[in-house]
């Protein structure tokens, strides 16, 4: 049977900082042909100036546990809460300075000819920056009562290439109970004081994994999946989805 979930456990990863105080690792390498994710670990005082891409969508996810300053052509942005950043492709460089030790995720996605055509016609303003508190709430029938959902990137002209993104927060026997969606692959990044279970598949094919803050997982399009906190526990995660329907070359 085709494997239907891939998981990274942050607590089992041994940091290997270089002389500049930076460690970068690819998350779940080889599991997707068009999307790659990286986790950065930075010591206080370190600086990174990331590679810029002309034809790839890039999205950063900061977990709010550290403090940093991002500088780009529009000024400085403080990264001391859960927040999101997308650069303007190769139009301008940017840098991230670590005020304290911190970690964050970078997602890099390929763009096909249709993505580029859509981007030329109408697209999200870049560079893009949002704090979790600035993201609009929405309701969805797969979320249990009391669970808060927020949209980061959503819709035909608000997404980044074929990437969409959102946030889910709940707890105490709550979270997401979702039927499989054949049109999108999904990645999840556990935040805050998360302590929940990810179950993928149904009935005899179901597999369950414990998830904690800093963990990352990938669910290819198709299977049912639950992200669910037990009694007195918290589920808080960012989801990133990639549309599998390729309309260009």
């Amino acid at each position: 049977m085709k494997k239907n979930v891939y998981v990274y456990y942050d607590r089992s990863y041994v940091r290997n900082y270089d002389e500049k105080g930076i460690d970068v690792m690819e998350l779940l390498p080889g599991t997707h042909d068009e999307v790659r994710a990286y986790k950065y670990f930075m010591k206080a005082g370190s600086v990174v100036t990331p590679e810029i891409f002309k034809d790839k969508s890039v999205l950063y996810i900061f977990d709010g546990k550290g403090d940093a300053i991002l500088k780009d052509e529009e000024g400085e942005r403080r990264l001391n809460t859960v927040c999101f950043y997308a650069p303007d492709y190769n139009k301008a460089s940017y840098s991230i300075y670590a005020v304290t030790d911190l970690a964050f995720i970078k997602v890099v996605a390929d763009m096909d000819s249709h993505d580029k055509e859509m981007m030329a016609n109408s697209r999200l303003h870049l560079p893009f920056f949002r704090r979790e508190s600035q993201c609009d709430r929405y309701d969805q029938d797969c979320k249990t009562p009391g669970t808060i959902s927020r949209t980061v990137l959503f819709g035909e002209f608000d997404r980044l290439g074929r990437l969409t993104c959102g946030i889910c927060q709940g707890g105490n026997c709550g979270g997401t109970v979702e039927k499989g969606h054949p049109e999108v692959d999904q990645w999840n990044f556990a935040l805050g004081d998360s302590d929940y279970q990810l179950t993928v598949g149904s009935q005899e094919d179901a597999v369950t994994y414990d998830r904690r803050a800093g963990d990352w997982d990938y669910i290819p399009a198709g299977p049912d999946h639950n992200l669910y906190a037990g009694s007195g526990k918290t589920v808080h995660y960012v989801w990133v989805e990639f549309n599998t329907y390729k309309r260009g070359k």
Side-chain angles (χ1 to χ4, degrees):
M1 182 180 69
K2 181 180 178 181
K3 187 175 178 64
N4 59 12
V5 62
Y6 301 84
V7 295
Y8 158 78
Y9 294 92
D10 188 68
R11 56 195 176 279
S12 67
Y13 177 70
V14 179
R15 281 56 164 162
N16 184 24
Y17 295 96
D18 63 17
E19 67 280 0
K20 297 179 180 179
I22 299 168
D23 180 17
V24 184
M25 65 170 298
E26 183 173 359
L27 295 164
L28 310 177
T31 56
H32 200 281
D33 293 335
E34 297 184 88
V35 179
R36 300 174 73 178
Y38 303 86
K39 190 158 190 180
Y40 283 70
F41 302 91
M42 298 179 65
K43 289 289 190 181
S46 62
V47 181
V48 294
T49 302
E51 179 182 1
I52 55 178
F53 301 96
K54 179 181 180 180
D55 57 356
K56 294 181 184 293
S57 297
V58 176
L59 175 66
Y60 287 88
I61 307 168
F62 298 90
D63 65 8
K65 289 192 171 183
D67 189 5
I69 298 171
L70 187 148
K71 295 183 179 181
D72 62 14
E73 70 270 28
E74 293 191 346
E76 294 187 359
R77 309 171 192 272
R78 201 67 184 244
L79 311 173
N80 56 4
T81 186
V82 176
C83 56
F84 307 84
Y85 179 77
D88 191 4
Y89 296 97
N90 66 339
K91 301 295 176 60
S93 63
Y94 55 99
S95 62
I96 300 169
Y97 169 76
V99 178
T100 65
D101 292 1
L102 80 154
F104 56 87
I105 300 284
K106 178 172 77 171
V107 179
V108 181
D110 290 349
M111 298 178 67
D112 63 23
S113 58
H114 180 266
D115 298 330
K116 296 172 188 176
E117 180 182 351
M118 295 296 289
M119 179 184 71
N121 293 337
S122 177
R123 66 173 172 86
L124 181 74
H125 172 74
L126 298 174
F128 168 88
F129 178 74
R130 289 289 186 281
R131 295 180 176 87
E132 180 177 26
S133 60
Q134 296 173 312
C135 297
D136 291 334
R137 289 185 60 173
Y138 68 95
D139 296 322
Q140 192 176 20
D141 60 4
C142 65
K143 306 295 172 60
T144 62
T147 299
I148 296 172
S149 295
R150 297 183 184 272
T151 179
V152 180
L153 299 168
F154 193 74
E156 185 71 17
F157 296 105
D158 188 38
R159 66 188 187 188
L160 193 62
R162 278 175 283 157
L163 287 177
T164 53
C165 179
I167 315 160
C168 177
Q169 184 174 14
N172 197 25
C173 299
T176 303
V177 181
E178 189 166 8
K179 290 293 184 181
H181 33 63
E183 72 281 5
V184 289
D185 297 318
Q186 179 173 326
W187 293 261
N188 303 295
F189 180 35
L191 300 173
D193 57 352
S194 284
D195 184 358
Y196 63 90
Q197 289 189 318
L198 166 68
T199 299
V200 180
S202 56
Q203 298 178 356
E204 68 275 5
D205 291 333
V207 289
T208 297
Y209 302 89
D210 291 330
R211 304 276 78 197
R212 303 288 188 278
D215 290 351
W216 175 260
D217 46 74
Y218 164 45
I219 309 167
D224 298 347
H225 47 278
N226 303 339
L227 296 94
Y228 201 80
S231 178
K233 296 186 177 181
T234 298
V235 55
H236 190 190
Y237 65 93
V238 174
W239 56 262
V240 177
E241 293 181 345
F242 184 75
N243 197 309
T244 60
Y245 179 40
K246 191 170 183 178
R247 289 173 284 184
K249 298 180 180 179

